[in-house]
Amino acid sequence: ASEIVESLTKVLSGTKYGILESVKGVLEKYNTVSGNLSEPEEIFVCPNLEQLLASDVHADGVKWRLQCLNEDIGDLRGGSLGHVYARPDTGKTTFFASEISFFASQIGDDEEIIWFNNEERGQKVQLRIYSAITGRTLDEIAEDPEGTSELFDKLGGNKIRIYDNAVITVSDIDAMLKDRNVRIVVIDQGDKIKFSGDKDMATHERLKALYGKLRELAKKYNVDIITAGQADYTAEGRQFLHLSNMDNSKTGK
């Protein structure tokens, strides 16, 4: 609080301007610290084996639509960060629409899936969600909008919310997770998320810090966060990609 007051006093006295970004950085630091102020016993992992098995083995998580992902990754149980990457216009948005439409049928009525969209037009993404949930083409949706809306709500489509903005920050995501009962987060695209102080960082440093912050949010709120990104030119024409085919900061991500 004293850091913020000291900074703003200089603005009020007319001796300094353009420092709101630094104040946002102080607030982010506060949010990080305050999020760690748990009761002492809550910091330690419960050693009870029955409870561990109940929460991480026996309890059902959220399953993927694609069976190969269920076999390779397993259920989504919260606290994880994933990254989906491919060349432009190869189906990333379609993949997300397909998977989260299946996720929506499994989560509770009081839970949400939030898609943070800073890439395509939000209205276009929302229509893709309608198509994925209902199994209808755009022509079929246009012919029966009322029936499509009813089917959409019945199948859990109203649990999916599209947060649409060209500029989305880590603080925006933090605020959403803090105030809402979110189960799964999709970020399209992950690399474009901003955070305080990132303007002065090299690309690889910024991305390493960014994905570290996203992982912290996944753990802090016990949600699964899945980001979308590009593959670089070495992935052109390839069906199976490696980590080295990721765009920009590969190790950092």
Side-chain angles (χ1 to χ4, degrees), residues 192-227:
K192 293 173 64 177
I193 299 298
K194 306 291 185 182
F195 61 90
S196 179
D198 66 350
K199 294 180 181 178
D200 300 325
M201 304 174 74
T203 299
H204 69 282
E205 293 175 336
R206 189 187 77 81
L207 292 176
K208 182 177 181 179
L210 169 61
Y211 282 87
K213 289 177 181 293
L214 295 178
R215 180 174 290 281
E216 289 169 4
L217 289 179
K219 183 176 178 65
K220 177 181 177 181
Y221 294 105
N222 195 35
V223 301
D224 294 295
I225 299 178
I226 311 172
T227 62

Side-chain angles (χ1 to χ4, degrees), residues 1-241:
S2 65
E3 287 183 46
I4 293 173
V5 170
E6 183 180 358
S7 298
L8 297 183
T9 299
K10 296 175 182 177
V11 176
L12 293 173
S13 64
T15 59
K16 200 166 186 179
Y17 299 97
I19 62 168
L20 286 180
E21 282 296 321
S22 65
V23 173
K24 285 172 60 179
V26 177
L27 286 172
E28 284 188 8
K29 187 168 75 171
Y30 163 75
N31 288 331
T32 300
V33 173
S34 63
N36 293 329
L37 298 179
S38 305
E39 291 296 324
E41 285 304 316
E42 294 179 4
I43 297 175
F44 296 100
V45 175
C46 173
N48 184 283
L49 182 57
E50 291 186 0
Q51 292 185 30
L52 289 172
L53 291 174
S55 63
D56 269 45
V57 178
H58 301 319
D60 291 332
V62 177
K63 297 186 182 299
W64 302 85
R65 184 187 298 277
L66 292 176
Q67 185 56 32
C68 59
L69 296 181
N70 288 316
E71 294 171 357
D72 188 55
I73 299 175
D75 294 1
L76 296 178
R77 302 178 186 275
S80 63
L81 173 66
H83 185 63
V84 175
Y85 57 101
R87 292 296 287 160
D89 300 320
T90 53
K92 292 187 293 294
T93 300
T94 301
F95 167 79
F96 279 121
S98 174
E99 290 298 334
I100 69 171
S101 65
F102 190 62
F103 295 160
S105 67
Q106 303 173 65
I107 65 174
D109 292 336
D110 61 335
E111 295 179 308
E112 289 182 322
I113 297 170
I114 297 186
W115 182 320
F116 288 91
N117 177 61
N118 56 22
E119 188 72 4
E120 296 191 64
R121 287 190 309 111
Q123 294 88 340
K124 180 180 178 181
V125 174
Q126 186 67 66
L127 282 173
R128 298 284 286 278
I129 299 298
Y130 265 96
S131 182
I133 289 283
T134 62
R136 296 183 175 185
T137 65
L138 289 180
D139 289 339
E140 292 171 335
I141 290 173
E143 290 174 1
D144 183 23
E146 184 176 344
T148 299
S149 294
E150 292 178 1
L151 181 61
F152 182 79
D153 291 341
K154 180 180 179 181
L155 296 177
N158 54 4
K159 301 174 188 175
I160 303 172
R161 306 299 304 274
I162 308 294
Y163 184 106
D164 187 46
N165 202 329
V167 179
I168 300 175
T169 67
V170 171
S171 295
D172 295 331
I173 300 172
D174 195 342
M176 286 289 108
L177 296 179
K178 182 178 180 180
D179 295 336
R180 309 176 77 96
N181 187 19
V182 181
R183 179 63 186 83
I184 294 171
V185 169
V186 167
I187 304 175
D188 188 9
Q189 290 200 0
D191 286 12
K192 293 173 64 177
I193 299 298
K194 306 291 185 182
F195 61 90
S196 179
D198 66 350
K199 294 180 181 178
D200 300 325
M201 304 174 74
T203 299
H204 69 282
E205 293 175 336
R206 189 187 77 81
L207 292 176
K208 182 177 181 179
L210 169 61
Y211 282 87
K213 289 177 181 293
L214 295 178
R215 180 174 290 281
E216 289 169 4
L217 289 179
K219 183 176 178 65
K220 177 181 177 181
Y221 294 105
N222 195 35
V223 301
D224 294 295
I225 299 178
I226 311 172
T227 62
Q230 304 290 11
D232 67 14
Y233 71 95
T234 64
E236 194 68 43
R238 297 185 61 173
Q239 183 178 5
F240 299 105
L241 307 186

